[in-house]
Amino acid sequence: MVTLTIDKNDLRDAKTEVSNLAGAFFAGTSPLIRPFMDMLESIVPADQQGRGTSYLISALRYHIRSIRADENGIRVESEIGSVDIPRAVLEERIEERYPSFGHDSLNLPGLLFLQSGPAVYAASVSKLRKIHRIVIPEGRRTQRYIFHVIVRSLEADQDVIKIEIDMQRLPQIGGPEESANQA
């Protein structure tokens, strides 16, 4: 298990200025949070509610104070309140839209990481390489897959992002003989 800590200086090194690191998880377009916009709208100021999903995602970027995710759920907090998104509710809402999808394979922290912007990806790849000597292959799809699988938990506030990474979650390379030899 590797714990990766990213701060504002790491994002500056990735040539991006982010004032609220917790809000960086509302920079992408992953569909994870979209089914919960009705809940999340309650934690932005009243004058920014009712303006549509795109506006709300932008507002969340600035008003989120902290975010936590693990296998059991996601908690998003602002100065106004908090929203808990339990795994069971997420599975239920996804089941409504995608009934044939294998919900047992959802990795909530990994999915939340996928919503972050390119700067968080770049800073994560850079720190993994420099500090932990872990090389993540290039390519947007490859990195998205790897981070979706290996992110075990994450916490972020306005100044720091902490990500627990488990490289053992990646599928092992090799055929059945090699897998049997490793066991």
Side-chain angles (χ1 to χ4, degrees):
M1 185 81 63
V2 172
T3 301
L4 187 62
T5 303
I6 297 171
D7 61 22
K8 292 177 182 179
N9 290 327
D10 296 318
L11 293 179
R12 276 189 211 109
D13 292 345
K15 297 178 177 56
T16 301
E17 191 75 30
V18 176
S19 60
N20 178 7
L21 295 184
F25 291 96
F26 294 91
T29 57
S30 174
L32 172 66
I33 296 295
R34 291 198 186 273
F36 301 97
M37 286 309 196
D38 56 332
M39 296 166 64
L40 291 167
E41 190 168 36
S42 69
I43 62 172
V44 298
D47 64 332
Q48 296 182 355
Q49 296 178 7
R51 296 187 181 194
T53 300
S54 295
Y55 186 87
L56 180 57
I57 289 173
S58 180
L60 286 167
R61 258 184 262 167
Y62 298 100
H63 294 288
I64 297 305
R65 295 293 171 242
S66 69
I67 192 162
R68 289 181 189 88
D70 62 23
E71 294 297 322
N72 299 314
I74 298 170
R75 180 175 182 83
V76 182
E77 297 177 3
S78 75
E79 67 274 0
I80 294 172
S82 64
V83 170
D84 289 304
I85 302 171
R87 179 183 189 87
V89 174
L90 177 65
E91 288 175 348
E92 178 182 299
R93 291 195 181 183
I94 289 176
E95 176 72 29
E96 291 171 6
R97 296 187 72 172
Y98 309 103
S100 63
F101 182 74
H103 305 109
D104 57 329
S105 65
L106 288 175
N107 177 16
L108 296 185
L111 287 170
L112 185 59
F113 185 89
L114 294 182
Q115 287 199 169
S116 66
V120 175
Y121 279 81
S124 299
V125 168
S126 176
K127 284 200 93 167
L128 282 171
R129 184 180 308 119
K130 284 180 189 173
I131 296 171
H132 302 286
R133 293 184 173 90
I134 297 171
V135 177
I136 304 293
E138 302 243 350
R140 183 175 177 261
R141 286 185 179 179
T142 302
Q143 286 183 358
R144 287 178 63 85
Y145 170 76
I146 289 172
F147 280 116
H148 170 251
V149 173
I150 66 172
V151 174
R152 183 171 180 161
S153 70
L154 65 84
E155 292 183 31
D157 61 26
Q158 294 181 324
D159 301 314
V160 176
I161 298 171
K162 276 180 46 180
I163 306 166
E164 278 192 342
I165 293 175
D166 185 356
M167 295 303 290
Q168 299 302 315
R169 290 180 166 203
L170 283 174
Q172 299 301 312
I173 299 173
E177 301 94 30
E178 191 172 319
S179 296
N181 290 336
Q182 290 178 356

